Amino acid sequence: PVVLEGRIYVAIGQSPIHGRGQGALSCIDAATGEIVWQSTLVDRTLCTVSIADDLLYIADLSGQLHCFDAASGKRWWVHDVEQQVWAASTLVADGKVYIGTEGKKFWILKAGRDKELLWQGRVDSPPITVAAHQGRLYVPTQRGLYVYKAGQGGWKD
């Protein structure tokens, strides 16, 4: 779960080894334990949500990346990343949403209420949850760790 401003955001779903199936994304009031909103528009997932600028991003096992309003639960958009997402939570940094898939694809979308694909490409092995720190993007995969430096025109090796 992620806790932000007195709310707990958590997604549930049975283990992906059992295949696709119904999931749920919930926003819970941390003080009362009451559900503020809940969405069943997500498939089962093991991913953690990312929240930036009042928007929540989460990927699910069916290969859908979702953008929700963190306060109301309204879904702004969904993007098909074409393959399952199992061990990679989203990262929001520098106005971008980063996500990797089990099929060795890596996606970068613009963060915001309007869906905009910025880049999509392949990596040598399935990427796990990425991290960003001091102008660098860290992309762990099942074969190694790749570090990219922010530069004019994008990320450089």
Side-chain angles (χ1 to χ4, degrees):
V2 170
V3 179
L4 181 67
E5 297 175 359
R7 291 185 170 185
I8 301 167
Y9 299 89
V10 63
I12 61 168
Q14 192 174 16
S15 171
I17 62 172
H18 300 289
R20 291 181 57 186
Q22 184 65 55
L25 173 62
S26 300
C27 172
I28 301 164
D29 184 296
T32 66
E34 293 182 19
I35 294 175
V36 177
W37 59 262
Q38 187 172 65
S39 175
T40 56
L41 296 174
V42 296
D43 200 350
R44 63 178 51 146
T45 185
L46 296 177
C47 295
T48 301
V49 304
S50 296
I51 302 172
D53 298 324
D54 300 319
L55 297 175
L56 177 151
Y57 304 91
I58 189 164
D60 64 27
L61 184 63
S62 70
Q64 302 298 307
L65 171 62
H66 306 263
C67 172
F68 288 90
D69 184 285
S72 70
K74 173 185 176 179
R75 185 169 69 176
W76 286 103
W77 51 260
V78 62
H79 182 75
D80 184 1
V81 294
E82 301 174 358
Q83 295 153 339
Q84 290 183 340
V85 177
W86 192 1
S89 295
T90 56
L91 168 73
V92 181
D94 299 323
K96 298 173 185 75
V97 181
Y98 302 89
I99 187 68
T101 71
E102 288 298 301
K104 303 178 187 178
K105 285 194 174 182
F106 193 71
W107 299 78
I108 303 173
L109 288 90
K110 182 179 177 185
R113 286 181 175 82
D114 298 317
K115 180 174 71 168
E116 181 181 338
L117 176 62
L118 299 175
W119 185 85
Q120 178 266 317
R122 294 191 63 78
V123 291
D124 71 341
S125 126
I128 305 166
T129 304
V130 301
H133 182 67
Q134 294 183 342
R136 287 183 170 73
L137 183 67
Y138 297 86
V139 182
T141 73
Q142 293 176 1
R143 291 190 179 168
L145 174 65
Y146 299 88
V147 181
Y148 300 93
K149 187 175 180 181
Q152 190 173 17
W155 296 96
K156 309 288 184 203
D157 288 337

